[in-house]
Amino acid sequence: MANPVSDQCAESRKWFTHFSLRSMTALHVSCCAANQLTEEERRTITRSIQEFQLGEGSRGQRLLVRGQKYARAVNDPLFAGALDLFIREEQQHSRYLAAFMESQSIPQAERHWVDTVFRKLRGLAELELSLTVLVTAELIAVPYYRALRAATGSPILKMICTRILEDEASHLKFQASMLARVTSTRPAVLQRALGELHRLFLLGTIFVVWIEHRAVFGAAGYSFRRFKSETLLQFFDWNVERRLCIERAAARERHSPEWGQANRQSGDWRSRLPSGFKKQG
């Protein structure tokens, strides 16, 4: 029988290899001036692409520190390595957009309130909640980049959107796997409750993003209903993947109590409850 801890390391190694190979095929997006957008397209996408470029550029330092702490607890150094490469790939998306924006004389935004809120949420959270907030942004990004690709005739921007969408598909699977590992020891009833809270948070985010980016969605022929439906479908598919990963992680724990104990110690959900809710011993 395979060692469950080795299986976990193999999962991290798989993602470390995936992101390493993917980095070798990064796009080259020239920042040299070149007419790609019509004036109407420029008016439609400028504010929107500024906001998304800003959001893609997070350094992810606190997330990485928490990932390193978890990796040490479960003796899986490649967990942190894969997480680092994942963050770098997100930053690469920001560079793609920044180079395109420079070529179109679109200035970068220094700050935006939505990005500030998401960064603060990730900053206040432990590893699990940090990943959950990040997943929410990834789920939103899929229909957004589909819409942005459809809203422009620019071959370069279409290529960038296609590349980002390919990356996001892998990112969602990666995050499903990582979150499943972190939460596999939590009681099923609490997992379901937190899953519902995540869905409600996603619904609120959908509404905010529609308000902020409705010009791009409208240019692509999206209604609010379509945007919401596509995002929730992504959430449903991601949740199925996450649950499958949780089942596999739970099976590993049954065969390896030592790994389960290490996983619980690395992120005990009880330690993050208010004191009045903790079981008194």
Side-chain angles (χ1 to χ4, degrees), residues 155-168:
I156 302 300
L157 186 53
K158 285 180 179 290
M159 178 181 68
I160 292 171
C161 290
T162 297
R163 170 67 185 224
I164 291 176
L165 284 166
E166 291 171 355
D167 290 343
E168 297 293 9

Side-chain angles (χ1 to χ4, degrees), residues 242-254:
R242 182 182 65 88
R243 288 172 181 171
L244 289 173
C245 291
I246 287 175
E247 290 175 6
R248 290 194 291 269
R252 292 187 188 102
E253 183 188 352
R254 287 194 296 270

Side-chain angles (χ1 to χ4, degrees), residues 38-266:
T38 66
E39 283 305 312
E40 182 179 357
E41 288 174 344
R42 183 186 302 277
R43 287 192 299 270
T44 298
I45 75 167
T46 291
R47 190 168 66 88
S48 178
I49 199 172
Q50 285 174 327
E51 293 176 22
F52 262 79
Q53 187 275 330
L54 179 65
E56 296 277 15
S58 173
R59 292 176 57 210
Q61 191 61 41
R62 286 174 291 194
L63 175 62
L64 185 57
V65 168
R66 289 160 187 156
Q68 291 168 340
K69 178 181 178 182
Y70 175 83
R72 288 192 296 270
V74 298
N75 193 28
D76 181 5
L78 284 182
F79 179 96
L83 186 61
D84 181 37
L85 291 176
F86 158 74
I87 293 169
R88 291 173 185 268
E89 193 164 276
E90 286 286 347
Q91 294 168 340
Q92 183 66 62
H93 296 172
S94 180
R95 288 191 288 271
Y96 292 154
L97 295 173
F100 176 78
M101 289 163 62
E102 184 175 348
S103 74
Q104 305 306 299
S105 301
I106 297 174
Q108 295 183 35
E110 294 185 3
R111 63 179 62 86
H112 187 269
W113 73 269
V114 174
D115 178 66
T116 299
V117 168
F118 266 78
R119 288 178 192 250
K120 285 187 179 297
L121 284 173
R122 293 197 300 268
L124 292 171
E126 294 296 327
L127 176 63
E128 178 190 351
L129 190 52
S130 296
L131 288 171
T132 300
V133 172
L134 194 53
V135 165
T136 303
E138 302 267 16
L139 292 166
I140 291 286
V142 173
Y144 172 78
Y145 283 112
R146 287 174 184 162
L148 183 61
R149 182 172 60 183
T152 177
S154 164
I156 302 300
L157 186 53
K158 285 180 179 290
M159 178 181 68
I160 292 171
C161 290
T162 297
R163 170 67 185 224
I164 291 176
L165 284 166
E166 291 171 355
D167 290 343
E168 297 293 9
S170 296
H171 291 183
L172 288 169
K173 291 181 180 179
F174 169 72
Q175 288 167 303
S177 171
M178 298 300 100
L179 271 170
R181 289 182 61 178
V182 174
T183 64
S184 62
T185 57
R186 177 174 291 120
V189 64
L190 186 55
Q191 289 190 33
R192 288 193 295 270
L194 292 176
E196 180 60 19
L197 287 175
H198 186 191
R199 188 184 71 85
L200 292 174
F201 177 61
L202 177 61
L203 285 171
T205 306
I206 287 170
F207 179 76
V208 171
V209 171
W210 173 261
I211 295 299
E212 291 289 320
H213 302 278
R214 60 185 179 276
V216 169
F217 286 113
Y222 272 69
S223 64
F224 175 73
R225 182 176 181 178
R226 177 182 172 187
F227 170 48
K228 176 183 173 183
S229 296
E230 285 193 14
T231 307
L232 291 179
L233 180 60
Q234 286 292 137
F235 178 66
F236 175 82
D237 290 343
W238 175 80
N239 227 4
V240 169
E241 179 72 20
R242 182 182 65 88
R243 288 172 181 171
L244 289 173
C245 291
I246 287 175
E247 290 175 6
R248 290 194 291 269
R252 292 187 188 102
E253 183 188 352
R254 287 194 296 270
H255 292 292
S256 177
E258 295 83 2
W259 177 82
Q261 180 65 22
N263 205 40
R264 281 189 291 273
Q265 290 174 348
S266 70

Side-chain angles (χ1 to χ4, degrees), residues 1-53:
M1 181 180 296
N3 185 320
V5 176
S6 298
D7 289 347
Q8 290 290 343
C9 293
E11 179 73 5
S12 296
R13 185 178 300 110
K14 178 187 77 173
W15 286 110
F16 183 88
T17 302
H18 168 83
F19 290 127
S20 296
L21 293 175
R22 192 69 173 163
S23 69
M24 298 178 187
T25 64
L27 299 178
H28 172 69
V29 181
S30 174
C31 60
C32 297
N35 292 328
Q36 287 281 321
L37 299 173
T38 66
E39 283 305 312
E40 182 179 357
E41 288 174 344
R42 183 186 302 277
R43 287 192 299 270
T44 298
I45 75 167
T46 291
R47 190 168 66 88
S48 178
I49 199 172
Q50 285 174 327
E51 293 176 22
F52 262 79
Q53 187 275 330

